[in-house]
Every structure is written in C-alpha cells, then in structure tokens.
Amino acid sequence: KRAVDIEMRILEVENAVNALPKEQRMVMRLRYFEGYSWREVMKTTRWSYTRCQDFHAAAVLRLDEYVPRGSE
C-alpha cells in the first residue's frame, strides 16, 4: 500500500509540474527531475539567477495549490 501511495504522489507532482507555465516548468524539471545545479539551470536557459529564482518561487506557490503537502 505504501508503494502505491508513493507512486500516486509522484504522478500528482508530475502532473502538477506539467501544468505549470513553460518557464516555471523548465526550471523545475531541470532543477529537480534532471538534478541540475542553479549554475547549470542558468546556463541552459540563459536566464539570470534572479530570473530563475523568480520562476522557481512562482512554481513552488502554484505547486502548493495543486499538490498540498502531506502530513507525515
């Protein structure tokens, strides 16, 4: 049961990330799914650190709406 719950949670997060605007989605995918450092994210996107952080912060707020944090 626990493994199924984890898989469902992963699917929820993936679906929520896919629903983000393009720039936010790109930052989140590079940073968390691909494991890029902030420097690598900046180099790949050609955006400043501040711009990447802005997209990241907006994405986190949206993801909190889509996928509320569980209490474990």
Side-chain angles (χ1 to χ4, degrees), residues 7-20 29 33 63 66-67:
E7 285 184 32
M8 291 298 294
R9 189 70 170 165
I10 290 169
L11 284 174
E12 288 176 357
V13 171
E14 287 178 346
N15 289 335
V17 169
N18 287 335
L20 292 171
R29 285 197 165 283
F33 294 9
L63 291 174
Y66 291 136
V67 185

Side-chain angles (χ1 to χ4, degrees), residues 13-72:
V13 171
E14 287 178 346
N15 289 335
V17 169
N18 287 335
L20 292 171
K22 179 182 174 182
E23 294 85 357
Q24 294 173 18
R25 184 173 60 245
M26 184 181 303
V27 168
M28 297 305 277
R29 285 197 165 283
L30 291 173
R31 183 75 173 123
Y32 297 106
F33 294 9
E34 301 298 327
Y36 283 26
S37 68
W38 283 114
R39 184 178 302 274
E40 292 169 319
V41 172
M42 291 167 34
K43 185 176 180 179
T44 301
T45 60
R46 296 185 165 193
W47 297 328
S48 69
Y49 179 77
T50 301
R51 188 161 177 101
C52 289
Q53 289 293 303
D54 289 345
F55 286 136
H56 180 268
V60 169
L61 289 175
R62 280 184 182 249
L63 291 174
D64 274 344
E65 293 173 10
Y66 291 136
V67 185
R69 296 171 198 229
S71 57
E72 295 187 29

